[in-house]
Amino acid sequence: MRLKNVPGSREAIADSVFVIHEPETNKGAWQQVFGNDHEIHVEIGMGKGRFLYEMASLHPDINYIGIEKYSSVLLRAIQKMEEKELPNLRFVRMDAEDITEVFGRDEIDRIYLNFSDPWPKDRHAKRRLPSRQFLARYDEFLKGNGVLEFKTDNRDLFDFAVEEVPEAGWKIKECTYDLHHDDRLMQGNVMTEYEEKFSSIGNPICKYIIYR
């Protein structure tokens, strides 16, 4: 269950130097935010930030941006950064529906979707982050040679996501329905909080990597 109501979380986020406020003002100029010309990778729905923090630690030559809607969850990621700051990691609190207002054409090299909200009701399908509607949004700012990686233990959501790929004009580069038993795709895999939890009780983890 997501933490949505931690007292003072919004105030803490507003005061944090690790959060990019008014991110739309950086559209097309995110390299200036980091002060270099390194690749920029984005995780949409980063939760408490474990995955992105570890990725940024392992790859200091890549810049990372974490997008999170819920203040009380984002607060946990900020607290990690307060313990040990990483210069190549910054956060944005926003709804993913507005993401094209924040990133410009060919600005992002890689997108991560990890254990996204399944929005199980059919009428909410367009809200799912791997839906064709969101893939159209990502197409506006992902570089031509960029890729999107998606992981989940929710088989129904993954089946939906796989079906959406050709409908959105994308192609599958890699796909597995049991990541943790795929030696090749597990190389360099960094687990999220949910991935560790669900894999520990035997849930298969699904993953795909897609491109246009």
Side-chain angles (χ1 to χ4, degrees), residues 120-202:
K121 294 182 179 179
D122 289 343
R123 69 175 184 272
H124 292 153
K126 65 181 181 180
R127 298 186 183 183
R128 300 168 188 162
L129 293 182
S131 69
R132 67 188 71 179
Q133 289 83 359
F134 270 99
L135 290 177
R137 290 181 174 97
Y138 309 145
D139 185 56
E140 292 188 30
F141 58 83
L142 186 67
K143 287 185 179 179
N145 61 349
V147 298
L148 182 152
E149 299 188 14
F150 173 51
K151 287 193 290 188
T152 183
D153 72 315
N154 188 312
R155 181 59 185 267
D156 288 341
L157 177 61
F158 193 71
D159 288 343
F160 165 83
V162 169
E163 292 172 359
E164 291 289 271
V165 171
E167 296 296 330
W170 291 56
K171 300 177 182 178
I172 293 177
K173 181 178 181 180
E174 303 281 1
C175 184
T176 178
Y177 292 85
D178 194 357
L179 173 63
H180 288 210
H181 288 92
D182 187 315
D183 292 339
R184 184 172 59 85
L185 290 182
M186 270 297 286
Q187 293 181 15
N189 182 62
V190 171
M191 288 200 291
T192 74
E193 293 95 341
Y194 284 126
E195 184 174 355
E196 183 175 49
K197 174 183 176 180
F198 294 134
S199 63
S200 70
I201 60 175

Side-chain angles (χ1 to χ4, degrees), residues 21-27 30 101-102:
H21 307 287
E22 299 182 357
E24 63 278 359
T25 63
N26 296 305
K27 183 175 182 177
W30 280 94
E101 302 300 317
V102 171

Side-chain angles (χ1 to χ4, degrees), residues 4 7 17 24 39 43 45 50 60 62-64 75-76 87 107 114 119-120 138-139 143 147 149 151 161 195:
K4 300 182 182 179
V17 297
E24 63 278 359
E39 288 190 6
E43 183 181 10
R50 168 181 166 174
I62 297 174
N63 298 319
Y64 293 89
L75 180 61
R76 303 297 189 247
E107 189 161 35
N114 291 315
W119 290 100
Y138 309 145
D139 185 56
K143 287 185 179 179
V147 298
E149 299 188 14
K151 287 193 290 188
E195 184 174 355

Side-chain angles (χ1 to χ4, degrees), residues 7 9 15 17-18 21 32 36 69 85 89 93 103 107 111 113 116 118 135 138 150 158 161-162 166 180 186 189 193:
S9 59
D15 293 337
V17 297
F18 306 125
H21 307 287
Q32 296 177 25
N36 57 55
K69 177 179 180 179
E85 179 180 355
L89 175 59
R93 190 188 73 80
F103 300 117
E107 189 161 35
I111 298 170
L113 307 178
S116 307
L135 290 177
Y138 309 145
F150 173 51
F158 193 71
V162 169
H180 288 210
M186 270 297 286
N189 182 62
E193 293 95 341

